[in-house]
Amino acid sequence: MKKRWMTGLVVLALAGTVALGPRVSGAATGQDNAAVQFGRLAVGEHGAVVSVDGHATRAGLEVLRAGGNAIDAAIAVGLALAVTHPQAGNLGGGGFMVIYLADEDRYTTLDFREMAPAVAHAEMYLGEDGRPVRGVNYVGWRAVGVPGTVAGFEKAHEWGRMDWADLVRPAQQLAADGFWVDPYLAGSFRRVAPTFQRYAGSAEAFLHPDGSPYAAGEKFVQPDLAWSLDQIATGGADAFYRGPIAERLVAAMEANDGLITAADLDNYRPVEREPVRGSYRGWDVISMGPPSSGGTTLVSMLNILENFDLEGADPTGAPLAHLMVESMRQAYMDRATHLGDADYHDVPVDWLVAKDRAVELAAAISPDTARKSADLGAAILTAPESPETTHYSVVDSFGNAVSTTYTIEAGFGSKVVAPGTGFLLNNEMGDFNEWPGMTDERGYVGTDPNLIAAGKRPLSSMTPTILARDGKPVALLGSPGGKTIINTVFRLVVNLVDFEMNLAQAVDAPRIHHQWMPDVVRLERAFPTGTADALMGMGHELGTGRIQGDAHCIWIYPDGARLAVADGRRSGSAAAY
Ligand code: DON
């Protein structure tokens, strides 16, 4: 297996020379002359960064080259994405980091998921008729959870090496000086413009004075966001949660019948948590535990699949797709039944990821016949989630590794901006189960673990993950995509471990999604049609395939070379030196 890794490196290193960028000078690291690569693939011996956006990737790389570590760079990338990728990059949202700290030889995770404000309760989105009022938990001021990103980044910075203000500065400059809107962002702006027009703060921050959206090629300057970042550069998270930014947020909440108070902001806390751990055919899987469902569900699916011999299997053939779908069916039913914020509800993680349980679950899978989801338990349909969130990965020359996924939930979150702040607020309250006790085929899930409560964190699917060998990080994985996220990472692990694909092949390979209910398999288009036919022959129902995820990942070779691969499905940019 080792030999194939090395072959992969040679091939990719050659591919990478196409993307060889100019030498960048001026960084004070003693590595000034190291060649920098930018592109879809980038290989370097010191450090690597990959994200959805080139400005953010560059910000992270410059931090590494200036002597910062992967934690510093991850903070700089996250802040820059808040400027250049407002669909998901954020100051007003939350997320998770899975981190390897080389000095301490230890893995940890940081939970900076949003929290429900103090007024929140299980029935807050129900109208007088006892049914949910449509859209209130999705768009507008009452959909917003208390943001966690700025506090999370400040906490992560306890492991950093560079001054905080130097990590904020690249983002602040991008906001103040502006950047050219690319066609991808212009398309997103065009689609969201009618909603932004309904909110004065959002229109002011994101539209021209006549209400039209920015088009591709126009320069987009964000003075209010630059002000917010300036406050954060000088005042840290305190400026956001207790200082001048908090004042503007609370004033807007009061003026718009929002939920969040000064006390809610003051009470927000990020939490360092133990990772969820598993193993898959000799590899270690280190991932995110509750309040994300990601790591638990991922490890549980891998445990089930491990019971099948995949020797000689075709990675895009029906027999493997079937086994993966049956693993997903089980694990997503468990997700809907058991997962939520473990600070509020007893989540049986150890039982869910136990190997002996997986042996029994695997024995219930026929090699060639689809089961019916309804036969596995009571029918629960899980509500659709929108396709915006973003994942990025960073590795430094010290050996630290940071796998981050963060979000404002929907594309552009709740669509609201507190006047004068320049950043979008999340609609993460919509990730809670909104209708207690109601679980039905229309998509409501009313199970207890994820009901709304004051201070609670809504269940997430985000799955930032590190795959390790002999205790050391080898692959940094993750993706956006709502409930598809966990299956995207599942697929990446199978591609890398079972099929020994190099990282670029693993990222490119077509993906599969099934989430127990609705009982439908979705294949990305690159699957051979014969696979879809064979799956239907086994009794699976096939839904319309869509693009699944946007996985910006890094691989660390045995000789220490770092390969960053940007997923080509949306946009993306890798850099290494
Ligand atoms: O936390 C979650 O799982 C969702 N709020 C993430 C939403 C998402 O991934 C949309 N993605 N592309």
Side-chain angles (χ1 to χ4, degrees), residues 313-573:
D314 172 356
T316 57
L320 173 67
H322 166 71
L323 293 176
M324 291 184 73
V325 164
E326 292 303 327
S327 307
M328 294 169 185
R329 190 193 304 285
Q330 174 69 48
Y332 274 74
M333 183 188 80
D334 290 336
R335 176 193 187 278
T337 312
H338 298 289
L339 280 154
D341 183 347
D343 291 346
Y344 282 70
H345 186 93
D346 201 8
V347 180
V349 174
D350 292 343
W351 175 74
L352 289 166
V353 302
K355 291 273 189 202
D356 51 358
R357 175 168 183 261
V359 173
E360 285 169 30
L361 296 174
I365 296 175
S366 142
D368 53 14
T369 309
R371 297 178 291 180
K372 289 279 162 250
S373 288
D375 294 343
L376 262 65
I380 293 177
L381 275 177
T382 41
E385 286 175 37
S386 75
E388 286 297 351
T389 290
T390 195
H391 178 83
Y392 60 93
S393 305
V394 184
V395 172
D396 66 21
S397 61
F398 312 103
N400 301 298
V402 183
S403 183
T404 306
T405 315
Y406 79 152
T407 189
I408 38 178
E409 185 4 45
F412 303 103
S414 64
K415 322 291 191 279
V416 299
V417 173
T421 63
F423 60 87
L424 286 152
L425 293 161
N426 69 83
N427 64 327
E428 222 72 55
M429 292 298 286
D431 274 2
F432 280 116
N433 298 347
E434 62 182 304
W435 198 350
M438 175 57 74
T439 300
D440 75 3
E441 302 248 330
R442 288 168 296 178
Y444 289 108
V445 176
T447 51
D448 286 354
N450 190 34
L451 295 181
I452 306 172
K456 191 171 172 179
R457 295 164 195 241
L459 185 63
S460 173
S461 299
M462 291 187 280
T463 315
T465 297
I466 297 179
L467 199 57
R469 189 100 189 171
D470 304 324
K472 299 288 181 236
V474 177
L476 281 69
L477 310 173
S479 175
K483 290 190 186 69
T484 68
I485 292 172
I486 319 169
N487 288 332
T488 296
V489 179
F490 180 34
R491 178 79 200 187
L492 288 167
V493 174
V494 169
N495 290 345
L496 293 167
V497 172
D498 289 301
F499 299 102
E500 298 180 6
M501 291 183 192
N502 66 48
L503 186 62
Q505 293 167 328
V507 166
D508 285 350
R511 298 172 184 155
I512 312 170
H513 181 63
H514 189 288
Q515 57 178 48
W516 182 47
M517 288 286 192
D519 194 346
V520 169
V521 179
R522 294 187 191 279
L523 299 180
E524 275 193 323
R525 289 227 177 96
F527 270 98
T529 46
T531 299
D533 291 342
L535 285 171
M536 287 190 282
M538 294 178 187
H540 291 284
E541 188 179 325
L542 264 77
T544 314
R546 300 185 268 237
I547 284 177
Q548 181 177 324
D550 191 40
H552 304 302
C553 303
I554 293 177
W555 181 265
I556 303 166
Y557 284 91
D559 68 355
R562 287 98 164 84
L563 166 68
V565 174
D567 195 330
R569 285 172 175 78
R570 294 187 190 179
S571 65
S573 160

Side-chain angles (χ1 to χ4, degrees), residues 1-369:
M1 180 179 284
K2 226 170 197 162
K3 190 154 157 276
R4 301 239 330 234
W5 297 357
M6 296 309 293
T7 313
L9 176 58
V10 172
V11 171
L12 288 162
L14 288 173
T17 56
V18 176
L20 197 70
R23 282 166 189 262
V24 177
S25 61
T29 59
Q31 296 155 352
D32 297 8
N33 295 324
V36 173
Q37 292 189 2
F38 278 98
R40 231 212 97 198
L41 313 177
V43 190
E45 57 185 306
H46 302 293
V49 182
V50 59
S51 81
V52 70
D53 177 77
H55 299 283
T57 294
R58 183 179 289 272
L61 192 83
E62 292 308 321
V63 164
L64 292 183
R65 285 172 45 80
N69 65 16
I71 293 97
D72 293 316
I75 294 166
V77 171
L79 293 170
L81 286 172
V83 180
T84 58
H85 186 64
Q87 298 98 315
N90 69 80
L91 303 180
F96 304 104
M97 280 181 179
V98 174
I99 304 171
Y100 175 69
L101 296 166
D103 271 359
E104 303 173 34
D105 190 22
R106 137 177 118 88
Y107 292 88
T108 190
T109 77
L110 201 53
D111 162 8
F112 50 99
R113 182 72 163 166
E114 296 89 334
M115 292 170 71
V119 296
H121 59 88
E123 296 176 353
M124 65 187 285
Y125 293 117
L126 303 184
E128 279 174 10
D129 60 356
R131 305 162 68 88
V133 180
R134 256 179 91 83
V136 191
N137 65 348
Y138 199 70
V139 182
W141 297 93
R142 296 179 72 82
V144 185
V146 183
T149 296
V150 178
F153 286 179
E154 188 176 78
K155 186 163 178 67
H157 186 245
E158 291 170 16
W159 294 302
R161 290 162 52 100
M162 273 177 51
D163 285 347
W164 170 256
D166 290 336
L167 306 179
V168 186
R169 203 54 67 196
Q172 200 270 344
Q173 277 169 4
L174 279 165
D177 300 346
F179 64 96
W180 306 106
V181 172
D182 66 18
Y184 177 71
L185 179 57
S188 303
F189 275 157
R190 207 168 44 244
R191 286 186 290 277
V192 76
T195 313
F196 280 164
Q197 285 158 5
R198 291 170 20 207
Y199 300 103
S202 315
E204 192 189 337
F206 288 102
L207 301 174
H208 289 302
D210 69 356
S212 62
Y214 282 78
E218 282 192 89
K219 192 168 212 188
F220 181 42
V221 182
Q222 302 175 77
D224 289 343
L225 182 56
W227 173 85
S228 288
L229 287 162
D230 208 35
Q231 300 300 318
I232 291 167
T234 52
D238 220 42
F240 189 97
Y241 293 92
R242 284 162 282 276
I245 300 174
E247 277 168 30
R248 292 185 183 185
L249 287 174
V250 171
M253 285 286 164
E254 283 172 358
N256 294 287
D257 200 23
L259 308 171
I260 295 174
T261 64
D264 288 322
L265 289 170
D266 187 36
N267 288 334
Y268 184 83
R269 295 287 178 274
V271 187
E272 185 183 356
R273 299 185 191 274
E274 279 298 310
V276 164
R277 285 166 184 274
S279 66
Y280 184 63
R281 304 194 205 272
W283 292 73
D284 301 321
V285 181
I286 297 112
S287 190
M288 195 66 221
S292 180
S293 60
T296 310
T297 307
L298 171 68
V299 171
S300 150
M301 292 190 294
L302 289 168
N303 283 345
I304 295 171
L305 194 66
E306 199 177 38
N307 290 286
F308 296 93
D309 181 1
L310 303 184
E311 189 69 40
D314 172 356
T316 57
L320 173 67
H322 166 71
L323 293 176
M324 291 184 73
V325 164
E326 292 303 327
S327 307
M328 294 169 185
R329 190 193 304 285
Q330 174 69 48
Y332 274 74
M333 183 188 80
D334 290 336
R335 176 193 187 278
T337 312
H338 298 289
L339 280 154
D341 183 347
D343 291 346
Y344 282 70
H345 186 93
D346 201 8
V347 180
V349 174
D350 292 343
W351 175 74
L352 289 166
V353 302
K355 291 273 189 202
D356 51 358
R357 175 168 183 261
V359 173
E360 285 169 30
L361 296 174
I365 296 175
S366 142
D368 53 14
T369 309

